[in-house]
Amino acid sequence: MILIFLGPPGAGKGTQAKHIVDRYGVPQLSTGDMLRAAVAAKTPIGLKAKAIMDAGDLVSDEVVAAIVEERIEQDDCAGGFLLDGFPRTLPQAEMLDAMLEKKELALDAVVELRVDEAVLIDRLRSRIAETEARGEEIRKDDNEETFKKRLGVYQEQTAPLIPYYEKQGKLKVVDGMGSVEAVSAAIDAILDEFRGS
Ligand code: AP5
């Protein structure tokens, strides 16, 4: 199963990805996590990406696509994978199409998590509070100003992927406003239906 999770920052992509990993046994490929790991390890990519990520902008299409291409060649992706946060621009979507075609793989579905902006900002505030309560470091891009910038970047550069995948007949829209469990159940219903179980 090859899946994409699409949705604005805070929509619950990472939260629901954990559920997919547990239920379907496919790995979660989060470009945000991969880039944060590169930043923490101070790799050449990480050193370039840090300022871009901290400002809430997007890392270049070529860099992100190369990271994904390398990752999907690993053994654990042989039975499928879940892309969380990639693609995020039309050129990335076209690069992914080309990558999959070259490997004779096909995308099964794109799950779009729809959540109102006011709820996204509430979730950001909760995430900041919970992270602080655990005594952990808050993500540099998790403050209200940068979060609003990320929402704008999503509308401008990522939302055009919705009609792109609609045209391909791959788009499945999920109401992401309910509880974590309700959203997981809605995703399961879609995936079970399309897997014919
Ligand atoms: P990335 O790490 O992908 O961040 P994001 O897309 O902005 O998403 P978030 O992690 O903020 O939110 P999420 O949707 O995963 O929600 P979560 O489950 O955490 O990207 C970070 C940066 O990396 C980008 O800005 C860019 O610079 C760079 N980057 C990454 N990919 C790139 C690419 N392809 N191209 C270029 N640059 C790229 O949930 C949020 C909160 O809400 C949590 O606290 C959670 O507990 C809570 N929550 C979740 N679901 C629910 C629910 N149903 N009810 C109540 N609370 C909920």
Side-chain angles (χ1 to χ4, degrees), residues 69-87:
E69 183 154 30
E70 196 184 313
R71 180 66 185 87
I72 64 179
E73 273 159 14
Q74 292 174 17
D75 290 348
D76 63 334
C77 292
F81 45 86
L82 164 66
L83 291 164
D84 161 10
F86 178 90

Side-chain angles (χ1 to χ4, degrees), residues 9-10 122-132 134 138-139 141-142 147 150:
D122 282 347
R123 286 188 187 173
L124 168 79
R125 290 182 184 135
S126 308
R127 179 157 75 184
I128 292 172
E130 285 161 15
T131 309
E132 269 175 342
R134 288 195 303 269
I138 295 165
R139 267 169 61 171
D141 59 350
D142 264 0
F147 192 77
R150 286 159 60 199

Side-chain angles (χ1 to χ4, degrees), residues 10-11 19 24 41 49 53 56 58 72 86 89 93 119 173 186:
H19 169 73
Y24 300 94
M53 294 173 75
L58 295 182
I72 64 179
F86 178 90
T89 64
V119 172
V173 180

Side-chain angles (χ1 to χ4, degrees), residues 10 12-15 31 36 57 59 85 88 92 127 139 150 178:
K13 302 181 296 295
T15 303
T31 42
R36 279 186 288 278
D57 286 316
V59 175
R88 246 175 159 101
Q92 289 182 21
R127 179 157 75 184
R139 267 169 61 171
R150 286 159 60 199

Side-chain angles (χ1 to χ4, degrees), residues 7-131:
K13 302 181 296 295
T15 303
Q16 296 301 330
K18 306 281 177 277
H19 169 73
I20 296 289
V21 170
D22 290 344
R23 188 159 200 251
Y24 300 94
V26 292
Q28 170 198 9
L29 275 47
S30 158
T31 42
D33 287 348
M34 292 187 241
L35 288 166
R36 279 186 288 278
V39 169
K42 297 194 166 72
T43 66
I45 285 178
L47 291 173
K48 266 196 220 157
K50 188 181 182 313
I52 299 170
M53 294 173 75
D54 288 355
D57 286 316
L58 295 182
V59 175
S60 88
D61 293 333
E62 289 69 22
V63 165
V64 181
I67 293 177
V68 171
E69 183 154 30
E70 196 184 313
R71 180 66 185 87
I72 64 179
E73 273 159 14
Q74 292 174 17
D75 290 348
D76 63 334
C77 292
F81 45 86
L82 164 66
L83 291 164
D84 161 10
F86 178 90
R88 246 175 159 101
T89 64
L90 281 172
Q92 289 182 21
E94 287 161 0
M95 285 182 213
L96 176 66
D97 283 347
M99 237 182 260
L100 294 177
E101 200 183 325
K102 197 169 80 185
K103 295 177 198 308
E104 298 184 0
L105 295 171
L107 180 64
D108 290 300
V110 178
V111 175
E112 183 207 346
L113 295 174
R114 271 198 196 163
V115 180
D116 292 351
E117 194 167 314
V119 172
L120 295 174
I121 293 176
D122 282 347
R123 286 188 187 173
L124 168 79
R125 290 182 184 135
S126 308
R127 179 157 75 184
I128 292 172
E130 285 161 15
T131 309

